[in-house]
């Protein structure tokens, strides 16, 4: 939308963006004296046409409504040059990522203070004793005067600053500061209450003390007035006011020292107070947003006039990659310009993503991020000048300048064209691609890497020529690996649009087979840009979906056999990068095949570390020796329970191999089931087991579709066996107790619950479509696999026998655990308890069913007339043997199988 606004920026206000920028290379020497800056208005004068965007696209449509009113003093400006700016109005407030980063850093600091207070007891106590010993050496009168003055000043300075801001008509910042101070006071009261009532004695001792002149009451852990003052001064933006900032920090420090010497606080309490005020301020600013001080098109026009240009109008263009704002500017007596604005907000955006990429990937695979606005300006200017000197087609950089303290501009010549993303597939000709490859080759000859060769960075000028844009993230003196990443990225960008055959052929014609072959090890998703990774995943998913739908239709029509359809689906599932590799190998069979090591830290390694940490934490917090009652345990029954738990992995391996027609090494399959016990730590039991078994079958040489079908058949058979065993044991239990046992009612409740869920799914259309779609795709592969298995009855016996033995093993483990603590209940009753309670607890998707499974098993055993004093330790023993004890062996099996490329 457009609006009306006259430029009237207060030079003393933080919102000022009209600081005079200097021209590059030492100012404006050699240029004519610039004319006085004209008034800038966002009014769309009907007599002046808006500049057409360079790419031929229409300017943003304005919202319908009456025309904007003319300012009252508009008649006075009729003789002045009129500058037209067409852009959407910037939001009044901006949620800065930098505020969120500071808030999180402050929270981490607060947590560190509490940890330090809890573990470094001797250190904190020693510091307090040293201060108390040396405090009497200071004059009491001087200490009293200093304390009085600092107490007055710590409130007077913020008040004076507020008055000054109100005089400057900047009351919005004052309101933000007041809100932050109120919230900081509330947080301080909450922490004071928690330390007094709920914290440990070590934390209370480190954060409070007993003053010498007190009546027995401890000091506050957080200063009730100092934290709000710090929050206020941070929220109002005193960081841009050096004198005010220094004055307030001086009085805050004096106030803290006075409180410390007077025995009214502790060093950790002062540190906690500062962190709370700081964190609350930035948390408030991020939540409500900071006043937006990003320069607008008005400031841009004034800045261009200051450095000697004669802008007549500007049109906001689509942003460049990385959030850089762009404007197409027309001049009164010069060629049109393409102006980029970079600011601190754009620099802070995407911080967490960039941090993760830097942590995960080697430095050569990550674009460098400038640390300051000046560095960002210099880096982009250097790349632009180097690209022009190399002979590559790229827009010419004609000027750079700072636009106030928080922004800078780079002025390029305007090059008209359309980006590759805006072209239809048939418009991407071989000549256009060859032109881009020649420009990339020219850059690489001078060791310049572009690092962002996606569709939005490739500008097509006509049917034969194109140029490179968005060079801001490039590298000078790039390494061979970085240059090869460029080639791999551009190959993938073209292949996504016109296929791998033409993409590789064009690159080979321009660069040669050797340079194209060197990019083969870099054809990895992790080395591509984020947009390319998204496009690759979307393309693979679309191909698989289309192939599956086509295969279903062909099988139903009798045009293809089931095996042929599965082969078609597997061929369609081949990702685009594999197809590009195949094309490269056709022109260079000797090309290196080993993927380059781009990752420093793989996600699975990080997940493993998190899983082990999570397991250790849960083990320390949930397993309590007092609940196991080891002194009352019968070790013979516990040993029997351990053997039953160990045999469950053999049974699980049987249940998997029985539904796979191909031959699997049995020992390795048992090891895979043991590795599943480690995976359960970070995923719900059923989901983690399915994913691991599918991966294991794929690594064993079974095609993806058939692996999923085999695991699905095993799961369906397991579900059917579970229900059949539950019904059978329910009947046995009921006949043994004349139908009075509560477990029999549990069977009825379970059946009724399943019936209600089925009715709900059938009644709700979205759920019905979702379930039917899943079942259709599942049975598409499961039924043929079951037909194949029927030709080998021994496989079916192994599969169903494994399912039966798996349930009986877990039931025996639970039964022996109950017997270990003196419980006396029939095996059939324990089987009913296990089948019902384990299923109910596992329905809640916690890792490994931690929590719900224990509660459900203890409750079910209690209903089955097992005393809670026996049921509780029995269940903890059962979970220790079946869940916690196998974690370490499972981790070992997981690593061994990975080294053998079996997972």
């Amino acid at each position: 939308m457009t609006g009306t606004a006259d430029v009237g920026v207060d030079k003393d206000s933080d919102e000022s963006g009209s600081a005079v920028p200097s021209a590059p290379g030492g100012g404006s020497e050699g240029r004519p004296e610039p004319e006085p800056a004209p008034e800038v208005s966002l009014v769309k004068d009907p007599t002046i046409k808006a500049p057409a965007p360079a790419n031929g696209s229409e300017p943003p449509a304005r919202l319908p409504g009456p025309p904007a009113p003319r300012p009252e003093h508009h008649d006075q400006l009729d003789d002045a040059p009129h500058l037209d700016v067409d852009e959407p109005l910037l939001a009044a407030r901006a949620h800065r990522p930098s505020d969120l980063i500071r808030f999180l850093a402050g929270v981490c600091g607060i947590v560190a203070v509490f940890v330090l207070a809890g573990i470094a007891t001797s250190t904190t106590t020693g510091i307090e004793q040293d201060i108390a010993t040396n405090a009497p050496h200071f004059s009491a009168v001087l200490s009293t005067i200093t304390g009085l003055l600092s107490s007055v000043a710590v409130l007077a300075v913020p008040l004076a600053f507020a008055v000054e801001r109100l005089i400057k008509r900047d009351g919005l910042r004052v309101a933000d500061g007041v809100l932050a101070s109120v919230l900081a006071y509330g947080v301080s009261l909450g922490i004071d209450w928690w330390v007094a009532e709920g914290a440990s004695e070590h934390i209370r001792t480190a954060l409070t003390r007993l003053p010498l002149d007190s009546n027995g009451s401890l000091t506050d852990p957080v200063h009730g007035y100092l934290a709000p003052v710090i929050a206020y001064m941070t929220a109002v933006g005193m960081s841009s006011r050096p004198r005010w900032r220094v004055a307030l920090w001086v009085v805050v420090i004096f106030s803290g020292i006075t409180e410390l010497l007077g025995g009214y606080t502790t060093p950790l309490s002062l540190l906690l107070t500062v962190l709370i005020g700081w964190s609350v301020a930035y948390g408030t600013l991020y939540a409500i947003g900071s006043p937006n001080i990003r320069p607008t098109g008005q400031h841009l026009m004034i800045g261009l006039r200051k450095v000697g240009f004669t802008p007549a109008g500007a049109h906001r263009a689509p942003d460049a990659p990385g959030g850089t704002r762009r404007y197409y500017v027309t001049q009164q007596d010069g060629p049109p310009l393409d102006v980029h604005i970079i600011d601190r907000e754009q620099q802070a955006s995407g911080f967490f993503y960039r941090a993760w990429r830097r942590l995960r990937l080697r430095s050569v695979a990550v674009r460098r991020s400038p640390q300051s606005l000046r560095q960002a300006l210099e880096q982009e200017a250097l790349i632009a000048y180097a690209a022009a000197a190399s002979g590559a087609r790229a827009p010419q950089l004609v000027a750079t300048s700072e636009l106030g303290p928080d922004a800078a501009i780079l002025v390029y010549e305007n090059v008209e064209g359309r980006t590759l993303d805006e072209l239809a597939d048939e418009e991407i000709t071989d000549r256009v691609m060859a032109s881009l490859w020649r420009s990339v080759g020219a850059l690489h000859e001078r060791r310049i890497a572009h690092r962002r060769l996606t569709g939005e960075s490739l500008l097509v000028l006509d049917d034969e020529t194109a140029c490179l844009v968005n060079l801001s993230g490039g590298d000078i003196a790039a390494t061979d690996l970085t240059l090869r990443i460029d080639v791999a990225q551009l190959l993938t960008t073209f292949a996504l649009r016109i296929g791998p055959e033409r993409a590789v052929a064009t690159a080979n014609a321009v660069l040669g087979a050797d340079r194209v072959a060197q990019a083969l090890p870099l054809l990895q998703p992790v080395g591509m840009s984020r947009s390319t990774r998204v496009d690759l995943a979307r393309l693979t998913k679309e191909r698989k979906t289309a192939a599956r739908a086509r295969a279903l239709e062909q099988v139903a029509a009798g045009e293809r056999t089931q095996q042929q359809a599965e082969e078609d689906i597997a061929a369609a599932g081949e990702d685009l990068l594999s197809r590009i590799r195949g094309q490269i190998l056709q022109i260079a069979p000797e090309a290196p095949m080993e993927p380059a090591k781009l990752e420093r830290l793989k996600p699975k390694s990080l997940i493993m570390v998190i899983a082990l940490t999570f397991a250790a934490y849960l083990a320390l917090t949930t397993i309590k020796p007092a609940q196991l009652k080891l002194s009352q345990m019968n070790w013979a029954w516990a040993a029997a329970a351990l053997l039953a738990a160990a045999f469950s992995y053999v049974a699980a391996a049987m249940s998997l191999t029985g539904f796979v027609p191909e031959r699997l090494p049995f020992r390795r399959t048992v090891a895979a089931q043991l590795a599943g016990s480690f995976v359960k730590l970070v995923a719900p039991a059923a989901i983690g087991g399915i994913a691991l078994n599918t991966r294991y079958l794929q690594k064993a040489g079974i095609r993806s579709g058939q692996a999923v079908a085999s695991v699905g058949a095993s799961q369906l058979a397991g579900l059917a066996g579970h229900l059949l065993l539950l019904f059978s044991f329910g009947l046995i239990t009921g006949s043994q107790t004349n139908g009075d046992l509560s477990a029999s009612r549990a069977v009825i409740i379970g059946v009724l619950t399943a019936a209600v869920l089925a009715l709900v799914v059938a009644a709700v259309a979205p759920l019905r479509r979702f379930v039917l779609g899943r079942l259709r795709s599942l049975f598409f592969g499961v039924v043929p696999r079951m037909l194949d298995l029927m030709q080998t009855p021994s496989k079916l016996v192994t599969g169903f026998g494994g399912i039966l033995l798996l349930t009986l093993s877990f039931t025996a483990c639970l039964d022996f655990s109950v017997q270990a603590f003196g419980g006396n209940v029939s095996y059939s009753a324990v089987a009913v308890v296990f089948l019902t309670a384990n299923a109910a607890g596992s329905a809640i998707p916690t890792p490994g069913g931690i929590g719900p499974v224990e509660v459900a098993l203890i409750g079910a055993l209690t209903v089955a007339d097992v005393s809670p004093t026996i049921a509780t330790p029995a269940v903890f023993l059962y979970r220790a043997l079946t869940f916690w004890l196998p974690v370490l062996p499972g981790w070992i099996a997981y690593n061994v199988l990975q080294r053998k490329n079996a997972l």
Side-chain angles (χ1 to χ4, degrees), residues 26 227 237 266 289 303 337 351 363 435 453 494 497 522 603 615 679 705 747 768 774 781 832 891:
T266 67
L337 305 172
F351 170 81
S363 57
S435 174
L453 290 171
F494 284 144
R497 298 296 306 276
L522 281 307
V679 177
V747 178
R768 184 175 63 250
R774 293 284 180 171
V832 172
W891 174 71

Side-chain angles (χ1 to χ4, degrees), residues 449-527:
H450 188 287
R451 303 300 295 263
R452 197 183 266 148
L453 290 171
T454 57
E456 59 189 353
S457 300
L458 309 175
L459 190 66
V460 179
L461 308 181
D462 50 43
D463 294 339
E464 296 187 359
T465 58
C467 71
L468 304 174
V469 295
N470 302 327
L471 287 91
S472 58
D475 281 345
I476 300 293
T479 64
D480 288 337
L481 190 62
T482 306
L483 300 179
R484 290 157 61 193
I485 291 176
D486 259 6
V487 176
Q489 173 66 65
L490 190 55
L491 275 173
T492 307
T493 299
F494 284 144
L496 282 167
R497 298 296 306 276
I498 48 90
E501 295 81 6
R502 284 181 58 196
V504 173
T506 308
N508 179 44
V510 177
L511 300 182
D514 292 340
R515 293 179 63 182
V516 175
Q518 290 176 359
L520 190 146
L522 281 307
L523 287 168
Q524 308 173 41
V526 70

